[in-house]
Amino acid sequence: MSEEQGIIIKVSGPLVVAKGMKNAKMYEVVNVSDQRLVGEVIELNGDEASIQVYEETSGVGPGEPVFLTGQTLSVELGPGLLESIYDGIQRPLALIEKESGSFIGRGISVPGISREKQWDFKPVVTTGENVGEGDVIGEVQETTLISHKIMVPVGMSGKLVEINSGLKTVEDVVAVIEGEDGHKHKVTMLQKWPIRISRKDGGKRVPIEPLITGTRILDTLFPLAKGGAGCIPGPFGAGKTVTQQTIAKYCDAQIIVYVGCGERGNEMTDVLMEFPELKDPNTGEPLMKRTVLIANTSNMPVAAREASVYTGVTIAEYYRDMGYNVALMADSTSRWAEAMREMSGRLEEMPGEEGYPAYLGSRTAGFYERAGAVKCLGSGDRNGSLTIIGAVSPPGGDLSEPVTQNTLRVTKVFWGLDATLARRRHFPAINWLTSYSLYDANVSGYWTKEVAEDAIKVRGDAMKLLQEESKLEEIVRLVGTDALSPKERLVLETSKSIREDFLFQNAFDNVDAYTSLKKQYWMLKCIMTIYYAGQDVVDKEDFDFNELKELPVMAKIIKVKDIEVGKWEEFEELEKEITKSIHSLK
Amino acid sequence: MQKEYKSITSIAGPLLVVEGVEGIKYEELVEIQIPGEKGVRLGKVLEASEGRALVQMFEDTQGSKTEGSKARFLGETMKIGVSPDMLGRVFNGSGKPIDGRPEIIPEKRLDISGQAINPYSRDFPNDFFQTGISTIDALNTLVRGQKLPIFSGSGLPHNRMAAQIARQAKVKDGSDFAVIFAAMGVTFEEAQFFQSEFEKTGAIEKAVLFINTADDPVVERIAIPRLALTTAEYLAYEKDMHVLVVLTDLTNYAEALREVSAARKEVPGRRGYPGYLYTDLATIYERAGRIKGKKGSVTQIPILTMPEDDITHPIPDLTGYITEGQIVMGRDLHRKGIYPPADVLPSLSRLKDKGIGEGKTRADHSGVMNQLYASYARGCDVRELAVILGEAALDDIDRAYMKFAVEFEDKFIRQGEHEDRDIERSLSIGWELLKILPKSELKRIKEEYIEKYL
């Protein structure tokens, strides 16, 4: 085989420099040494190329060959992605296990998508039609949940001259398209796309629909829109991973891509074992049927960690292009940034803040900008969305560090985790005073229309009370509760109930972990009724606040989360009862 | 194929440069022969360029010179010879025995850097590991395959606690069990303490010790946890043993890493530590775990001292992001004369729920754990309040909580250095203490258990 090859002149950790590489392209994939370790060209200088290697390089030395492949680092896209578990460069972990046992060996080359498996291809167009890039030409039932749309690859258009139905592997030709120049293009179900370039869409739209996660503090107070980007920064032990996993389990996106980037091995195993067991609350099918997992744990090679988030986002974009709502979780983007810092240091680049490369900001922005609600490429009115939720692990919980700051500049939702809340075992430990969402205006239309007319008002009042509570608490700490007026005590009592009965949510309790929007509204509304009704009585003379506290109905509020979904009249009754009991106080 | 060169051109700290070399490999081992010296000194290739190798020495470079010294490239990466005979022995940072007994005959030679466990092949940690210390067993349960560090500070008795854990640790189902103890950069006295503790109690029979004292070469300090873990993996996955690896002190390890990084003139990250500190620590901690289809497991207890008790310092911080929880030592408890001073409130074992309950420990464990934690937390709050308002201002329930907090520290946390409490004993002490509180306050325990145990 007359492959083009260069010769290694320097090895330093995951960085290899080779000469004789004048035909190499930037970001081209190369195979390093006779062990054929996967690497990527990241710098060219004359005929010398710097290569970041995605595997361990010990035992590799100068004089060994480097083979060019002519391709940039790409992912394979086609039916078979769902239910897969990949490493950072789209090698299925199950196949790696088959090749090298329980420990990950080197130089393993396995296809991202099975070449043998046959899929039942059902055409949706007929010969003679004109098709353009992004048009759907057929469908495959990938899992019981998802119908995989086969699209005309980008850059191809013309007249459909042949289309085949029936059982096909991903490499079989399913259609032939004749271009305007008379050239016949063969279409298979397998496409490739370079991971560092975002896939083409038909134009972005403003996101207006909320991503429903079932977590009350997120949906009601700090909503994320489908097609938006959000971040979860927090110190260790505050519950980043649990929050990410809860969203992955219960959110109403149709496809989930979960990227475990530089995190714990045991944690990934937990996901790998749990997801096939858990049922999707929206469809009742196992969660795995809509999920792609990418696991590059912290002890796996650092360069592959850098690639893993791009691999994930490219797969996510592919499903978005079919017209699905996709959510991508990246846990944690700080590890991704650190991988960049490590490579940058080895390249001896000029460091920016805290040793991170100066391009940290633009890379972060580039990644989050791949989120969006889009009109899909191709004809017909298909819309898809890609929502990105990135966890950030700031060192020492200090949010002023560069990764958090760069992330905050490009994401519109900030769910700030708080170590103090976590220590008090208040979960999800999201701080309601520092967190924010800039999508609340976008999604307010949805809430008013789909949930309740006054949903936005109730939410706004609740936020105001929580604000006031934090001020009052300082006074209480100095002089005690007795010094407060009944009105102020009413604020404290209501916001305590908001915190304990509404915001507190147990992610490990199967019933409590997911709350529908309508139930969220009713729960909050019942709690807020204490405040609304209380205002009418607290100003009366000789009002004894303890009487209000001891009302039997107050005990019922604690159990408000136990009222079943759908029994809205029970909520309504409770609301009336609260108003009545409180008004009866003289 | 071994190659020998006489072309060492520069020496700086632990690094030296050999010119004119050919066919060398990254991370390959190098022997340096200095004229007039009998033995050889060992190093490894840190950067392999055409005709030039940057070598990092495992030993001191004092007395070495550029003229006349010979560098021999061994053509293989650093390996350790392993065998079941290692149990009961003491080794130094280059894997040589230092207990005055002959070298072992290795059954196998393994690369010390190991390979990453495929996440797909991992089995989730599920089984209880008894340390005989109440605050760990009952409240922050250690699970086989977990990595649970101890965050300590200078002057706190973490070494005594580490030795106690290593002495008492056992698995309840009677499987084969071993302790591997790696001490990095400890003083001579500490090293002596550990060694004699193990020998006195006979625990050394099922233990392997790796010791690198503070005056041993810095680079050996970087190798020692890897030697320990390679041995652990061998015993766990090939000899079906449950292995507990105790590493102390990771702060010395990170200091060593920083020293070498600075000598290599790398761009420093936070507080001068190299940017890859996280990745490097991960390659140690992540070697804990279980593998599907294998009987054994590797459990880790790394110990580190937080400089100035600062938990946001890069070493505890990055460790916390990788490990599955932490046991924090409290200076206040230590001052009160309580041993072991494990501060329950900031401590956490993320996997505790997987290792407890019926069939693993006892059915009431989860309830008792939550109740003790919540009651102690409230007790501490009340105690603070009492300082401001005076004890007279407290009501009966609050007073009960305060009494609980004091008794909890005295009876539950406090424990003799040679007192090995099994989990039943720890739980029954817990129940004893809960009697201080009115029954109506025990909201976190199921009624049936209250009837059975109270």
Side-chain angles (χ1 to χ4, degrees):
Chain A
M1 199 164 61
S2 67
E3 265 177 305
E4 253 203 86
Q5 61 182 72
I7 290 169
I8 299 177
I9 54 171
K10 180 180 159 185
V11 184
S12 162
L15 179 77
V16 165
V17 182
K19 68 176 180 186
M21 302 280 286
K22 59 179 186 296
N23 285 328
K25 295 180 290 203
M26 273 301 265
Y27 297 112
E28 177 171 345
V29 175
V30 292
N31 290 320
V32 175
S33 94
D34 290 319
Q35 300 185 52
R36 294 195 166 258
L37 311 179
V38 182
E40 188 183 9
V41 176
I42 49 170
E43 205 177 273
L44 287 171
N45 198 351
D47 79 334
E48 282 181 15
S50 300
I51 299 157
Q52 69 172 347
V53 182
Y54 293 121
E55 300 177 67
E56 262 288 318
T57 50
S58 62
V60 175
E64 293 191 56
V66 171
F67 305 95
L68 296 172
T69 62
Q71 285 170 337
T72 48
L73 192 62
S74 306
V75 284
E76 295 185 343
L77 302 168
L81 285 169
L82 291 175
E83 297 185 83
S84 290
I85 302 155
Y86 293 118
D87 76 347
I89 45 174
Q90 212 205 6
R91 298 182 302 182
L93 289 173
L95 294 182
I96 295 182
E97 188 188 38
K98 232 181 244 169
E99 294 260 332
S100 75
S102 307
F103 293 90
I104 297 175
R106 295 196 292 172
I108 296 168
S109 163
V110 282
I113 290 178
S114 164
R115 298 292 193 267
E116 286 91 46
K117 184 156 182 180
Q118 290 191 320
W119 304 92
D120 190 11
F121 177 77
K122 294 198 184 79
V124 295
V125 288
T126 47
T127 47
E129 279 184 51
N130 276 319
V131 290
E133 53 180 19
D135 282 351
V136 176
I137 55 168
E139 287 174 356
V140 154
Q141 197 65 38
E142 189 174 357
T143 66
T144 43
L145 282 179
I146 299 298
S147 153
H148 190 111
K149 311 240 180 336
I150 307 297
M151 297 167 289
V152 177
V154 171
M156 209 183 275
S157 66
K159 201 166 87 179
L160 194 72
V161 290
E162 189 189 322
I163 188 147
N164 308 311
S165 63
L167 287 175
K168 302 278 172 216
T169 69
V170 289
E171 286 180 315
D172 288 339
V173 175
V174 290
V176 176
I177 294 169
E178 191 182 303
E180 273 173 24
D181 52 0
H183 187 80
K184 285 186 178 161
H185 303 277
K186 288 177 183 158
V187 181
T188 64
M189 289 194 270
L190 183 73
Q191 297 189 19
K192 283 195 170 191
W193 192 266
I195 59 169
R196 293 180 201 280
I197 299 170
S198 52
R199 281 177 63 88
K200 226 170 148 182
D201 57 49
K204 282 201 177 181
R205 297 178 299 126
V206 176
I208 48 164
E209 215 183 295
L211 181 83
I212 301 165
T213 64
T215 304
R216 295 188 283 267
I217 185 165
L218 304 185
D219 287 349
T220 302
L221 297 190
F222 310 109
L224 177 60
K226 284 198 178 96
C231 68
I232 316 182
F236 65 83
K240 276 184 305 295
T241 305
V242 175
T243 311
Q244 287 265 35
Q245 289 183 5
T246 314
I247 299 172
K249 282 177 203 163
Y250 299 111
C251 82
D252 68 340
Q254 289 143 311
I255 305 277
I256 306 289
V257 180
Y258 192 94
V259 186
C261 170
E263 286 291 310
R264 304 177 182 94
N266 283 336
E267 222 159 54
M268 268 337 279
T269 312
D270 198 16
V271 174
L272 299 183
M273 293 178 129
E274 200 180 14
F275 272 42
E277 306 278 311
L278 280 172
K279 300 267 187 289
D280 176 4
N282 302 312
T283 58
E285 288 286 323
L287 279 175
M288 210 52 205
K289 300 237 179 260
R290 60 164 191 173
T291 311
V292 183
L293 288 174
I294 295 170
N296 206 86
T297 55
S298 54
N299 56 340
M300 284 157 79
V302 66
R305 196 191 300 165
E306 197 262 337
S308 65
V309 297
Y310 291 112
T311 304
V313 77
T314 311
I315 292 173
E317 281 177 338
Y318 176 63
Y319 281 98
R320 175 206 69 190
D321 291 346
M322 294 178 204
Y324 288 116
N325 292 315
V326 187
L328 174 109
M329 281 90 202
D331 184 14
S332 140
T333 57
S334 293
R335 308 297 161 231
W336 168 62
E338 276 165 15
M340 264 195 277
R341 171 166 75 181
E342 198 173 326
M343 287 316 296
S344 160
R346 304 233 186 224
L347 283 171
E348 289 165 14
E349 290 172 340
M350 180 76 83
E353 227 178 316
E354 289 194 20
Y356 286 103
Y359 48 77
L360 174 69
S362 58
R363 290 275 173 92
T364 313
F367 168 65
Y368 282 102
E369 266 305 284
R370 289 175 80 166
V374 301
K375 186 188 168 305
C376 299
L377 190 65
S379 57
D381 194 22
R382 289 178 295 134
N383 291 317
S385 72
L386 167 55
T387 315
I388 295 182
I389 303 162
V392 185
S393 322
D398 167 22
L399 297 185
S400 68
E401 58 95 35
V403 182
T404 316
Q405 284 308 312
N406 280 308
T407 307
L408 286 179
R409 266 203 288 280
V410 284
T411 53
K412 291 175 89 177
V413 172
F414 169 71
W415 294 324
L417 290 167
D418 189 327
T420 328
L421 287 175
R423 224 168 293 137
R424 278 192 228 144
R425 301 291 196 261
H426 175 101
F427 289 109
I430 295 167
N431 187 319
W432 48 87
L433 297 173
T434 55
S435 301
Y436 61 79
S437 164
L438 300 178
Y439 291 113
D440 51 358
N442 296 32
V443 301
S444 63
Y446 181 92
W447 274 85
T448 322
K449 197 163 145 259
E450 303 288 327
V451 185
E453 281 283 330
D454 62 343
I456 297 303
K457 178 182 177 297
V458 174
R459 168 185 177 271
D461 290 341
M463 296 270 269
K464 213 164 67 196
L465 286 193
L466 289 170
Q467 260 327 318
E468 267 179 61
E469 185 202 26
S470 71
K471 278 187 217 140
L472 289 176
E473 269 195 334
E474 270 169 42
I475 302 174
V476 172
R477 226 169 284 141
L478 291 173
V479 292
T481 357
D482 295 339
L484 295 182
S485 70
K487 199 166 188 169
E488 285 164 334
R489 291 188 66 183
L490 180 66
V491 172
L492 281 187
E493 192 61 28
T494 317
S495 44
K496 178 171 167 252
S497 180
I498 297 177
R499 277 190 288 116
E500 291 178 2
D501 307 322
F502 184 75
L503 298 183
F504 178 83
Q505 194 168 359
N506 187 348
F508 298 106
D509 180 303
N510 285 341
V511 181
D512 197 26
Y514 180 84
T515 312
S516 72
L517 285 195
K518 191 142 188 183
K519 185 172 167 186
Q520 295 187 19
Y521 159 73
W522 271 112
M523 284 173 71
L524 189 60
K525 170 107 179 184
C526 287
I527 293 168
M528 288 303 290
T529 307
I530 309 173
Y531 178 70
Y532 295 144
Q535 274 181 316
D536 302 335
V537 293
V538 284
D539 288 336
K540 287 182 187 160
E541 247 173 87
D542 307 331
F543 178 77
D544 182 3
F545 192 78
N546 291 331
E547 272 179 46
L548 189 149
K549 258 178 106 170
E550 277 150 25
L551 283 173
V553 74
M554 298 302 273
K556 280 192 180 171
I557 294 173
I558 297 172
K559 298 220 151 76
V560 66
K561 67 173 75 150
D562 297 337
I563 302 178
E564 277 169 47
V565 177
K567 296 193 173 160
W568 310 124
E569 66 289 345
E570 279 188 39
F571 282 106
E572 251 171 282
E573 264 166 43
L574 178 65
E575 185 203 345
K576 279 187 195 130
E577 197 187 334
I578 298 167
T579 314
K580 214 174 115 205
S581 324
I582 293 179
H583 279 172
S584 71
L585 297 169
K586 287 274 150 43
Chain B
M1 184 180 56
Q2 292 186 357
K3 289 156 278 205
E4 214 173 270
Y5 298 94
K6 275 186 142 182
S7 44
I8 298 170
T9 54
S10 83
I11 305 174
L15 302 183
L16 50 86
V17 176
V18 190
E19 299 270 1
V21 293
E22 223 174 85
I24 44 156
K25 310 287 182 212
Y26 177 62
E27 299 227 304
E28 175 175 4
L29 284 185
V30 188
E31 278 177 3
I32 305 290
Q33 166 90 58
I34 294 154
E37 260 183 40
K38 258 199 211 146
V40 289
R41 298 186 190 186
L42 216 55
K44 72 168 184 187
V45 176
L46 214 52
E47 200 179 280
S49 320
E50 219 174 20
R52 181 176 176 274
L54 184 66
V55 178
Q56 169 180 322
M57 298 307 297
F58 293 129
E59 292 161 65
D60 209 351
T61 46
Q62 189 169 330
S64 51
K65 43 189 203 174
T66 54
E67 195 59 41
S69 297
K70 278 186 263 182
R72 187 181 305 124
F73 291 82
L74 302 183
E76 62 164 28
T77 50
M78 182 138 178
K79 292 200 165 71
I80 177 170
V82 288
S83 133
D85 298 336
M86 292 173 85
L87 289 169
R89 302 294 303 273
V90 186
F91 300 89
N92 71 1
S94 52
K96 300 257 180 320
I98 48 170
D99 50 4
R101 287 157 62 194
E103 289 215 21
I104 55 154
I105 299 160
E107 186 176 283
K108 236 180 180 175
R109 287 173 57 73
L110 297 173
D111 193 319
I112 65 156
S113 50
Q115 284 175 323
I117 304 177
N118 188 334
Y120 185 77
S121 313
R122 272 181 193 264
D123 205 355
F124 200 74
N126 262 330
D127 303 293
F128 176 62
F129 205 125
Q130 185 170 296
T131 63
I133 291 178
S134 297
T135 37
I136 299 181
D137 288 350
L139 294 182
N140 294 293
T141 316
L142 180 66
V143 180
R144 283 177 224 168
Q146 188 181 7
K147 38 198 180 297
L148 185 65
I150 296 176
F151 287 4
S152 183
S154 332
L156 294 179
H158 47 267
N159 285 337
R160 282 159 61 200
M161 188 166 163
Q164 185 174 4
I165 293 174
R167 264 196 326 261
Q168 299 179 349
K170 55 178 81 68
V171 286
K172 282 187 88 187
D173 57 11
S175 328
D176 234 353
F177 172 75
V179 174
I180 295 187
F181 193 91
M184 296 157 255
V186 294
T187 59
F188 168 77
E189 280 161 55
E190 284 169 314
Q192 269 304 309
F193 165 77
F194 285 126
Q195 211 168 327
S196 66
E197 275 294 308
F198 274 98
E199 277 162 7
K200 244 186 351 215
T201 54
I204 193 142
E205 293 307 315
K206 48 164 196 174
V208 186
L209 270 64
F210 289 91
I211 290 180
N212 162 275
T213 52
D215 57 347
D216 281 342
V218 167
V219 185
E220 272 186 13
R221 217 160 286 163
I222 297 175
I224 217 164
R226 299 188 164 81
L227 295 175
L229 288 162
T230 308
T231 314
E233 282 171 359
Y234 164 77
L235 292 175
Y237 305 133
E238 293 185 32
K239 300 288 162 204
D240 293 341
M241 294 176 122
H242 292 291
V243 186
L244 174 70
V245 184
V246 180
L247 304 169
T248 183
D249 172 335
L250 258 304
T251 307
N252 294 339
Y253 172 83
E255 296 286 335
L257 208 61
R258 174 163 71 177
E259 195 175 326
V260 173
S261 163
R264 287 165 73 173
K265 301 189 173 64
E266 289 171 338
V267 178
R270 249 191 346 144
R271 299 222 186 167
Y273 292 100
Y276 50 81
L277 183 61
Y278 177 86
T279 309
D280 193 276
L281 288 175
T283 57
I284 295 177
Y285 298 142
E286 279 292 336
R287 288 172 81 172
R290 290 175 61 206
I291 292 180
K292 279 184 207 158
K294 307 259 173 158
K295 279 199 200 120
S297 63
V298 177
T299 311
Q300 271 187 38
I301 302 189
I303 297 168
L304 55 89
T305 44
M306 299 182 281
E308 286 266 28
D309 292 352
D310 175 13
I311 202 166
T312 65
H313 184 279
I315 301 169
D317 190 53
L318 295 179
T319 299
Y321 275 120
I322 310 166
T323 53
E324 285 131 356
Q326 68 277 337
I327 305 284
V328 181
M329 304 281 259
R331 204 167 282 278
D332 281 348
L333 286 171
H334 181 61
R335 286 205 193 106
K336 283 185 202 160
I338 292 170
Y339 171 88
D343 194 350
V344 173
L345 298 180
S347 299
L348 167 77
S349 161
R350 290 165 188 260
L351 304 180
K352 59 177 187 289
D353 300 313
K354 314 273 179 184
I356 62 174
E358 190 132 35
K360 291 172 179 164
T361 53
R362 215 165 75 178
D364 57 325
H365 190 156
S366 166
V368 175
M369 174 176 80
N370 290 327
Q371 188 65 56
L372 287 173
Y373 182 90
S375 310
Y376 180 59
R378 170 127 182 232
C380 290
D381 282 349
V382 172
R383 197 157 50 181
E384 258 172 51
L385 205 66
V387 174
I388 305 168
L389 303 173
E391 251 178 80
L394 300 179
D395 60 19
D396 287 344
I397 290 190
D398 279 350
R399 240 178 255 138
Y401 271 111
M402 199 161 124
K403 179 154 182 263
F404 175 84
V406 175
E407 293 281 305
F408 180 81
E409 287 171 3
D410 193 46
K411 300 227 165 75
F412 192 87
I413 300 183
R414 188 200 295 277
Q415 165 170 5
E417 210 174 324
H418 288 272
E419 183 185 357
D420 186 358
R421 287 186 194 158
D422 64 8
I423 180 67
E424 279 81 16
R425 178 89 194 97
S426 295
L427 289 178
S428 48
I429 297 175
W431 278 108
E432 253 343 280
L433 291 168
L434 289 175
K435 283 184 187 156
I436 297 171
L437 300 173
K439 209 169 155 189
S440 59
E441 288 294 306
L442 307 182
K443 289 175 195 151
R444 300 187 186 226
I445 311 180
K446 280 191 192 149
E447 206 54 51
E448 48 175 306
Y449 300 134
I450 296 187
E451 269 164 40
K452 190 167 167 197
Y453 293 105
L454 197 67

